[in-house]
Amino acid sequence: MHLQVSNVSKSFGEGRDCKLVLQDISFELVSGQFMALVGSSGSGKSTVMRLIAGLERPSAGSIHLDGELVRRPGSDRGMVFQKYSLYPWLTAAQNVAFGLSLQGRGKAEIRERTAYFLDVVGLADAARLLPRELSGGMQQRVAIARALATEPKVLLLDEPFGALDLQIRESMQEFLHDLWKTTGLTALLITHDIEEALLLAGTVHIMAPRPGRIVHTVDVRLDRSDLRHLRVSQPFLELREELAGRLRSLDGSLL
Amino acid sequence: MAWSSALRRIFSHPWVLGVLGILTVFGVWLLVTSSGLVDKLFLPGPGAVWLAGTEQFQRGILVADAVASIRRVFLGFMISAGLALPIGIAMGTNRTICNFLEPLMALIRYMPAPAFIPLLIIYFGLEELPKVMLIFIGTFFFNTLMIMDAVKFVPSELVETALTLGGRGLPILTRVVAPFVAPQVLDTYRINMASAWNLVIVAELVAANEGLGKRISLAQRFLRTDEIFVGLIVIGLIGLLIDLGFRFLMRRACSWAN
């Protein structure tokens, strides 16, 4: 798998109301990589994700997935949203099965894969529950299972834990890290939380706002055998502080 | 004290106070009429109304009237609801269609449906068609605009999730938009059914051979206030039953939305 984002710009509106949201974004993502885009609100990080998902078209530049130009949404790019991530009228299992049945897969296959992916996210017991009967963390795990069930080449996560309480957030980060280690998925995470990005991603791009652009890239080389320990370790805290300072100075220059 | 907390618990049940309210009015009615303060010609007692009702029932006209009115309501409302659904969804999902139709509908919506009766009689005569058309005119525009609004508020994330799962075209409409708006559509129908029920009575007051509204206007001619009361109460009860039916349907079909 090879995702190539080349010199992508995006503006919304026309004429005098035209607003440049993204300027000259370029990066590559390859199989098994976990990448994060970090920025404050207005940095256009969600727009980058929507462009890759094919929900928007770039104003300039191009996005290729395995050499093919991205023109529209497709199941090779699974997506998890922060809000309204599940269909409230479907059970957890039906939500996971949704993409498979949209694709017209056979009943036996759907049942088997649904059970498998619910098990992967540790929610085999919750199969028959409606989203409103699940906690926020469980809902996001179902959403991840649903995105994985159609076997996307890359998983796009748009602030997936942004609406969760701090403690649940931390356990979800550990869950996602384990999932990445065991399944070898390729992921692109959008977050405003530097700690989250550093914990999970091998490559972190820092984005500046107005217009959104990548101003700094870090290759994170930390021992991730124990995330809980990593969170409070010295090198981690130093790196976090350094990046937080960069983000602050970006915002400060705008005040 | 124990009995006061028990009392409070009883009154906190939503049905208790509602029934009590109805019983209060019924009690006042009974008291006023049995005291002889009011002329029986103007306000008949519950007993007289009951007698008039059973008499109408035994002669078979009560059921025949109710069936005639209900048939008109259901026919007109089914056409209205059936057309409003696709048009409302089309307006809610497509900007061009919405811009084309919304001003027109908003305009017609403010024309009182009963004002169409003379026109409908000229066009369609005195048979069933003008009454069915009246109910259609009186509910179609409300149904359509309310369904359009419901569709407009489908969270974009739900549609976009389906797109990123490989969905496209019609399945997005039938498997994402339709289930999401189903509770609001049922509620729209429930609310506008009340106006359909009002309109059928208006239509029958003007011109009809049978129907609950027709029976009321006949009763007026013979100063039979007891029969007018029978008509009013039966109309109210049928309306209430339809309302409860919609609520029941909604609880069964859209339990996720409660």
Side-chain angles (χ1 to χ4, degrees):
Chain A
M1 199 286 304
H2 184 229
L3 176 75
Q4 181 149 30
V5 178
S6 324
N7 308 102
V8 165
S9 296
K10 176 71 181 171
S11 44
F12 289 107
E14 281 167 41
R16 265 201 302 166
D17 296 327
C18 184
K19 209 180 133 203
L20 187 63
V21 181
L22 287 178
Q23 189 178 46
D24 206 21
I25 303 284
S26 294
F27 61 82
E28 283 177 49
L29 186 65
V30 295
S31 281
Q33 207 180 347
F34 200 127
M35 181 183 279
L37 296 178
V38 185
S40 54
S41 55
S43 63
K45 54 191 191 298
S46 285
T47 308
V48 175
M49 182 145 293
R50 294 177 62 80
L51 289 167
I52 295 170
L55 297 166
E56 313 263 0
R57 300 293 307 275
S59 306
S62 61
I63 298 168
H64 288 86
L65 182 62
D66 286 339
E68 213 171 305
L69 186 68
V70 169
R71 296 169 191 278
R72 60 170 75 95
S75 59
D76 50 353
R77 287 145 292 144
M79 184 137 179
V80 176
F81 290 95
Q82 175 182 341
K83 284 188 308 174
Y84 302 111
S85 56
L86 296 182
Y87 296 108
W89 58 90
L90 300 178
T91 63
Q94 287 169 330
N95 263 287
V96 174
F98 191 78
L100 298 167
S101 85
L102 271 182
Q103 294 177 353
R105 310 267 187 115
K107 268 195 179 146
E109 189 193 354
I110 291 177
R111 204 176 313 123
E112 189 190 325
R113 292 175 73 90
T114 300
Y116 173 76
F117 280 100
L118 269 178
D119 195 46
V120 165
V121 298
L123 286 174
D125 295 339
R128 287 162 186 275
L129 297 181
L130 285 172
R132 66 184 164 112
E133 298 168 302
L134 302 172
S135 70
M138 289 161 95
Q139 289 182 20
Q140 290 310 76
R141 280 196 273 168
V142 174
I144 290 169
R146 183 181 56 194
L148 291 177
T150 53
E151 290 190 324
K153 292 173 180 171
V154 54
L155 186 62
L156 307 171
L157 302 154
D158 190 0
E159 300 259 12
F161 312 139
L164 304 179
D165 296 341
L166 187 66
Q167 277 163 356
I168 297 166
R169 227 182 133 106
E170 290 190 353
S171 70
M172 286 298 288
Q173 287 159 356
E174 283 152 30
F175 156 77
L176 187 57
H177 179 67
D178 291 342
L179 191 69
W180 174 69
K181 268 200 309 198
T182 51
T183 61
L185 59 89
T186 313
L188 179 62
L189 171 75
I190 298 290
T191 180
H192 60 265
D193 182 352
I194 295 168
E195 177 171 319
E196 185 166 285
L198 288 178
L199 276 175
L200 297 169
T203 307
V204 176
H205 296 295
I206 305 283
M207 293 188 68
R210 283 169 283 264
R213 60 203 186 277
I214 294 173
V215 288
H216 187 66
T217 300
V218 199
D219 283 317
V220 187
R221 291 182 211 288
L222 293 166
D223 175 17
R224 290 203 172 93
S225 50
D226 181 356
L227 286 198
R228 247 172 252 200
H229 179 252
L230 179 62
R231 268 181 222 280
V232 290
S233 69
Q234 200 54 38
F236 179 84
L237 292 173
E238 277 169 17
L239 191 53
R240 197 184 80 172
E241 197 40 52
E242 185 205 324
L243 294 182
R246 277 178 188 272
L247 266 186
R248 268 198 300 274
S249 71
L250 287 172
D251 283 341
S253 62
L254 290 163
L255 292 175
Chain B
M1 275 178 279
W3 61 267
S4 78
S5 76
L7 213 61
R8 203 174 307 135
R9 212 168 37 243
I10 290 169
F11 279 113
S12 69
H13 191 285
W15 287 43
V16 172
L17 281 178
V19 171
L20 203 67
I22 293 171
L23 285 179
T24 307
V25 172
F26 188 82
V28 171
W29 180 23
L30 194 67
L31 219 69
V32 168
T33 49
S34 60
S35 70
L37 282 168
V38 187
D39 189 338
K40 280 201 170 61
L41 195 59
F42 294 113
L43 186 63
V49 172
W50 177 256
L51 277 179
T54 47
E55 194 228 321
Q56 276 194 12
F57 181 74
Q58 276 154 11
R59 281 168 56 203
I61 53 174
L62 187 63
V63 173
D65 283 339
V67 168
S69 296
I70 290 171
R71 211 184 51 216
R72 289 170 189 139
V73 166
F74 272 79
L75 212 60
F77 197 80
M78 258 159 55
I79 300 171
S80 159
L83 281 176
L85 191 62
I87 297 175
I89 289 176
M91 288 173 74
T93 47
N94 186 303
R95 272 263 285 283
T96 314
I97 297 176
C98 180
N99 289 344
F100 181 65
L101 289 177
E102 199 183 358
L104 175 75
M105 293 214 171
L107 176 72
I108 302 178
R109 186 169 60 142
Y110 276 100
M111 301 177 182
F116 283 89
I117 293 176
L119 212 53
L120 291 171
I121 289 177
I122 294 171
Y123 289 166
F124 304 115
L126 295 167
E127 301 302 313
E128 290 300 293
L129 191 56
K131 300 173 190 75
V132 172
M133 284 298 292
L134 178 73
I135 287 155
F136 173 77
I137 291 172
T139 57
F140 170 70
F141 303 99
F142 284 93
N143 275 337
T144 306
L145 291 173
M146 286 164 83
I147 290 171
M148 174 195 79
D149 267 338
V151 171
K152 278 185 180 172
F153 283 102
V154 176
S156 59
E157 286 91 341
L158 294 183
V159 173
E160 288 173 349
T161 298
L163 290 171
T164 59
L165 289 169
R168 205 174 295 171
L170 198 63
I172 303 274
L173 222 52
T174 56
R175 304 195 51 188
V176 180
V177 176
F180 186 83
V181 300
Q184 281 125 295
V185 169
L186 275 181
D187 212 40
T188 296
Y189 287 164
R190 183 179 68 81
I191 290 162
N192 291 332
M193 185 56 126
S195 17
W197 199 235
N198 285 335
L199 287 169
V200 76
I201 305 300
V202 174
E204 289 170 0
L205 288 176
V206 177
N209 293 323
E210 55 180 357
L212 293 165
K214 176 66 184 176
R215 200 60 53 199
I216 288 177
S217 79
L218 277 179
Q220 179 216 357
R221 220 175 287 168
F222 301 106
L223 270 177
R224 288 290 303 269
T225 44
D226 51 348
E227 288 191 351
I228 295 181
F229 271 79
V230 171
L232 287 174
I233 290 169
V234 171
I235 289 165
L237 285 177
I238 294 174
L240 184 68
L241 279 178
I242 293 173
D243 203 89
L244 290 175
F246 270 110
R247 284 172 197 269
F248 175 76
L249 196 67
M250 197 143 91
R251 260 209 310 279
R252 289 296 297 271
C254 313
S255 57
W256 61 271
N258 297 325

